[in-house]
Amino acid sequence: MIIALSGGVGGAKLALGLSRIMPPENLLVVVNTGDDFEHLGLSISPDIDTVTYTLAGLANRELGWGRHDETWSFMATLEALGGETWFRLGDHDVALHVERTRRLKAGESLSAVTADFCRRLGVGPLVLPMTDDPVRTRLLTEHGWLDFQEYFVHRRCEPVVSELQFQGAGAARPHPDFIAALADEALEAVVICPSNPFISVEPILAIPGVREAMMACKAPIIAVSPIIAGRAVKGPTAKMMTELGLDPSAGTVAHRYAELLDGYVIDHADMSEVVSIDARVTLAQTLMTTIEDREALARIVVEAAATLRRRELRGLRHRGQR
Amino acid sequence: MIIALSGGVGGAKLALGLSRIMPPENLLVVVNTGDDFEHLGLSISPDIDTVTYTLAGLANRELGWGRHDETWSFMATLEALGGETWFRLGDHDVALHVERTRRLKAGESLSAVTADFCRRLGVGPLVLPMTDDPVRTRLLTEHGWLDFQEYFVHRRCEPVVSELQFQGAGAARPHPDFIAALADEALEAVVICPSNPFISVEPILAIPGVREAMMACKAPIIAVSPIIAGRAVKGPTAKMMTELGLDPSAGTVAHRYAELLDGYVIDHADMSEVVSIDARVTLAQTLMTTIEDREALARIVVEAAATLRRRELRGLRHRGQR
């Protein structure tokens, strides 16, 4: 069994790669829900949906969100009626939000609804929200505190970020299946996907008990850098690092996860970078353009984990804390 | 100024005819909201939407509901996700329900939202819900009491109806603009459109104050029969009459409205029928297939009203009660 921690697009790509080189039902994708929000009265979970659509083969690769077979009548009429149109919702997509909202209001958990949707859409891996409790990422900017989607979509990541907050994280409970999987003897690796550390991975780590369970986990923890040659493949990771006074580099990301990491996969472009962390570094092509790229990177991650497990058997574990 | 009382399809057709033979802004269409319901968490007002779409030139004439330019991605995905699909919602249509639901939850009235949607969709006449308070038509059948849409759409009007109930009507307040228009000196006619009396018109008449305001209204009240030669053009009107122990005829409809009527328009096919009511009967082609049919019937109704106003001036009013 492998656990993958994921945000949206980048994480979903590697999760898809993993799902294609292993029995998909042995893959548990734990997804950030800090991006979730209520919009037009609908409960929207952008990262869960990106992961679900990607694993179902429904993702729109051009847009980087939504479905590839989408139609846009809903949006056209919403605009004609004077509704808010900054968050684009396709006709297929909105059905998922309406039905999820209905089921959540009827008392089902986000994880139960997600699992059922995944089953119906033919998704093999288990897609698990990091928590069933509400966590909302907020960002302090020159315009004050902004809700995540207000910053991310409405303002196109243009405001300068000086601080992040994961509202509700302190009171949230990690999903019990996540914690149980971390303690499972059969666990082969925990993969921190190449997602934005600040807004995709750290909300997961901010939930009480997650960091401790990861530290106690016997399987190797391997992150894949979302930064290649100082730039993010997509999204505001590098911009945000600069704004937070950090060097936009693969090394900076490693340091965010430092004590958790046994292995770290960086791009060949970053081979000259000094990654002064106590983890085994693997070079790879981390840019995932084709499906073959996704599978190849997934294989490298799985092999790095196998190597780390062998080293562990020889008493060469890196994570000194455990 | 003319007031038209309307349910869905049949009423909307005549309202459209009226709007094309008079300054549309002088037409007030008061619409039944007893069909309204909450479905998938959305507030749906089927009669208001049929009237709005018809007057906006957006109605789907083949289906008899929804929009002619509709797409169906929402429904396809709702079905794929295991959602309830017995009430068909097109992609354009669902945007209206989502935005209306959002605005109602934000505290706006149904009438304010409807007026704004109509303005944005280029509807000339004022479309007014009979009330901003919730009224829900329910039907007693061999399966017990059924909600209206459960009976009408889900069970395709198949259950045998023995009783009707307009839940909430007793506590509802008629829309003040409706009551004010009935008392307006400039009012030329009140037209009871050829809608189902039991489920479209009587919910309007059931709201405290409406019947009294209509009785006190100085303009002639003219109904158009929804029954032609013992059959309804569309919907369960005739079937329901039989089930309620009534003769399915234009005469039966007239008797439902009896004390309110000054004029009654029936089809040529019913000319031999004895309509023993105290109202002036006009023969017309009441089947509205083309747009010309709608306009022609509207003209006949308006002319019948003019005749009744002239008779009133000569002291020949029919409604003895006033």
Side-chain angles (χ1 to χ4, degrees):
Chain A
M1 188 175 62
I2 289 179
I3 298 174
L5 307 192
S6 177
V9 181
K13 282 182 179 179
L14 183 56
L16 177 62
L18 287 165
S19 78
R20 292 170 61 97
I21 64 156
M22 61 183 282
E25 64 276 15
N26 292 351
L27 177 62
L28 174 68
V29 189
V30 176
V31 185
N32 168 45
T33 57
D35 299 8
D36 291 13
F37 75 133
E38 287 70 46
H39 183 59
L40 308 173
L42 305 174
S43 296
I44 301 182
S45 297
D47 282 356
I48 286 180
D49 295 345
T50 295
V51 169
T52 300
Y53 290 154
T54 299
L55 294 175
L58 293 170
N60 189 317
R61 289 205 207 168
E62 287 68 42
L63 289 177
W65 50 268
R67 291 175 54 142
H68 69 78
D69 57 350
E70 200 51 281
T71 60
W72 299 97
S73 303
F74 175 88
M75 222 62 213
T77 289
L78 188 65
E79 184 161 19
L81 296 176
E84 282 193 66
T85 56
W86 58 269
F87 195 87
R88 311 290 298 168
L89 291 167
D91 301 331
H92 287 287
D93 193 36
V94 83
L96 186 143
H97 305 312
V98 166
E99 180 65 0
R100 173 168 47 215
T101 304
R102 187 192 69 73
R103 291 176 65 165
L104 291 176
K105 285 203 176 136
E108 285 188 70
S109 67
L110 180 60
S111 55
V113 176
T114 302
D116 186 52
F117 284 177
C118 282
R119 185 180 62 75
R120 292 177 185 274
L121 295 175
V123 171
L126 184 60
V127 178
L128 194 67
M130 62 189 196
T131 175
D132 279 326
D133 300 317
V135 176
R136 296 292 176 266
T137 297
R138 307 189 75 223
L139 306 99
L140 182 59
T141 72
E142 71 271 32
H143 308 292
W145 282 101
L146 300 179
D147 289 340
F148 181 79
Q149 298 297 342
E150 173 65 22
Y151 161 80
F152 194 72
V153 177
H154 204 176
R155 301 191 188 227
R156 300 155 194 268
C157 308
E158 284 163 7
V160 174
V161 175
S162 53
E163 201 181 322
L164 291 103
Q165 182 189 80
F166 309 124
Q167 208 172 54
R173 295 153 298 177
H175 196 285
D177 293 355
F178 175 27
I179 298 302
L182 284 171
D184 195 318
E185 290 293 329
L187 185 65
E188 290 169 43
V190 179
V191 180
I192 301 179
C193 289
S195 295
N196 185 316
F198 309 102
I199 57 180
S200 296
V201 178
E202 290 176 6
I204 305 177
L205 303 178
I207 301 176
V210 168
R211 194 173 275 273
E212 294 72 10
M214 285 177 72
M215 291 298 291
C217 155
K218 289 184 183 139
I221 300 177
I222 301 177
V224 178
S225 172
I227 297 285
I228 301 175
R231 299 169 64 172
V233 175
K234 190 175 176 295
T237 313
K239 175 176 180 285
M240 217 177 254
M241 282 178 170
T242 306
E243 291 164 3
L244 292 168
L246 303 168
D247 178 39
S249 71
T252 299
V253 176
H255 282 289
R256 302 292 300 184
Y257 305 144
E259 60 169 11
L260 293 173
L261 292 189
D262 299 296
Y264 191 46
V265 178
I266 62 173
D267 197 82
H268 294 292
D270 296 314
M271 68 180 294
S272 63
E273 192 180 327
V274 178
V275 182
S276 57
I277 54 156
D278 186 20
R280 189 167 180 273
V281 173
T282 304
L283 292 176
Q285 179 194 316
T286 60
L287 185 68
M288 293 176 281
T289 308
T290 66
I291 185 68
E292 289 76 20
D293 294 341
R294 291 159 173 74
E295 293 178 10
L297 183 58
R299 275 196 196 91
I300 286 167
V301 171
V302 168
E303 281 159 21
T307 303
L308 284 161
R309 287 199 305 278
R310 283 194 299 274
R311 288 165 64 89
E312 162 99 8
L313 290 175
R314 300 204 310 269
L316 295 168
R317 254 338 259 290
H318 272 239
R319 259 182 298 163
Q321 295 90 335
R322 287 181 288 178
Chain B
M1 189 174 62
I2 290 179
I3 297 174
L5 308 191
S6 179
V9 181
K13 282 182 179 179
L14 183 56
L16 177 62
L18 287 165
S19 77
R20 292 170 61 98
I21 64 156
M22 61 184 280
E25 64 275 16
N26 291 352
L27 176 63
L28 174 69
V29 189
V30 176
V31 185
N32 169 45
T33 57
D35 299 8
D36 291 14
F37 75 133
E38 287 69 45
H39 183 59
L40 307 173
L42 305 175
S43 296
I44 300 182
S45 297
D47 282 356
I48 286 180
D49 295 344
T50 294
V51 169
T52 300
Y53 290 154
T54 299
L55 294 175
L58 292 170
N60 188 318
R61 289 205 205 166
E62 287 68 42
L63 289 177
W65 51 269
R67 291 174 54 140
H68 69 79
D69 57 351
E70 199 52 280
T71 61
W72 299 96
S73 303
F74 175 88
M75 221 62 213
T77 288
L78 188 65
E79 183 161 20
L81 296 175
E84 282 193 66
T85 55
W86 57 269
F87 196 87
R88 309 290 297 167
L89 292 167
D91 301 332
H92 287 287
D93 193 37
V94 82
L96 186 143
H97 305 312
V98 166
E99 180 65 358
R100 172 167 48 212
T101 304
R102 186 192 69 74
R103 292 176 65 164
L104 291 176
K105 284 203 178 139
E108 287 188 69
S109 66
L110 180 60
S111 55
V113 176
T114 302
D116 186 52
F117 284 177
C118 282
R119 185 180 62 76
R120 291 177 184 274
L121 295 175
V123 171
L126 183 61
V127 178
L128 194 68
M130 61 188 197
T131 174
D132 279 326
D133 300 317
V135 176
R136 296 293 176 266
T137 297
R138 305 189 76 223
L139 306 99
L140 183 58
T141 73
E142 71 271 32
H143 308 292
W145 282 101
L146 300 179
D147 289 340
F148 181 78
Q149 298 297 343
E150 173 65 22
Y151 161 80
F152 194 72
V153 177
H154 204 175
R155 301 192 188 226
R156 300 154 193 269
C157 308
E158 284 164 7
V160 175
V161 175
S162 52
E163 200 181 323
L164 290 104
Q165 181 188 80
F166 309 122
Q167 208 170 57
R173 295 152 299 177
H175 197 285
D177 293 355
F178 174 27
I179 298 302
L182 284 171
D184 195 317
E185 289 292 329
L187 185 66
E188 290 169 43
V190 179
V191 180
I192 301 179
C193 289
S195 295
N196 185 316
F198 309 102
I199 57 180
S200 296
V201 179
E202 290 176 8
I204 305 178
L205 303 178
I207 301 175
V210 169
R211 195 174 273 274
E212 294 71 12
M214 285 178 72
M215 291 298 291
C217 155
K218 288 182 183 145
I221 300 177
I222 301 179
V224 177
S225 172
I227 297 286
I228 302 175
R231 298 169 64 173
V233 176
K234 191 176 174 294
T237 313
K239 174 177 181 286
M240 217 177 254
M241 282 178 170
T242 306
E243 291 164 3
L244 293 169
L246 303 168
D247 178 39
S249 71
T252 299
V253 176
H255 282 288
R256 304 292 298 185
Y257 305 143
E259 59 170 9
L260 293 173
L261 292 189
D262 299 296
Y264 191 47
V265 179
I266 63 173
D267 197 82
H268 293 293
D270 295 313
M271 68 180 291
S272 62
E273 193 180 325
V274 178
V275 181
S276 57
I277 53 156
D278 186 21
R280 190 167 180 272
V281 173
T282 304
L283 291 177
Q285 179 193 318
T286 60
L287 185 68
M288 293 176 280
T289 308
T290 66
I291 186 67
E292 289 76 21
D293 295 341
R294 292 160 174 71
E295 293 177 9
L297 184 57
R299 275 195 196 92
I300 286 168
V301 171
V302 168
E303 281 159 21
T307 303
L308 285 162
R309 287 198 306 278
R310 282 194 300 275
R311 289 165 64 89
E312 160 100 8
L313 290 176
R314 300 204 309 270
L316 294 168
R317 255 336 263 290
H318 270 241
R319 260 183 299 163
Q321 295 89 336
R322 287 178 291 177

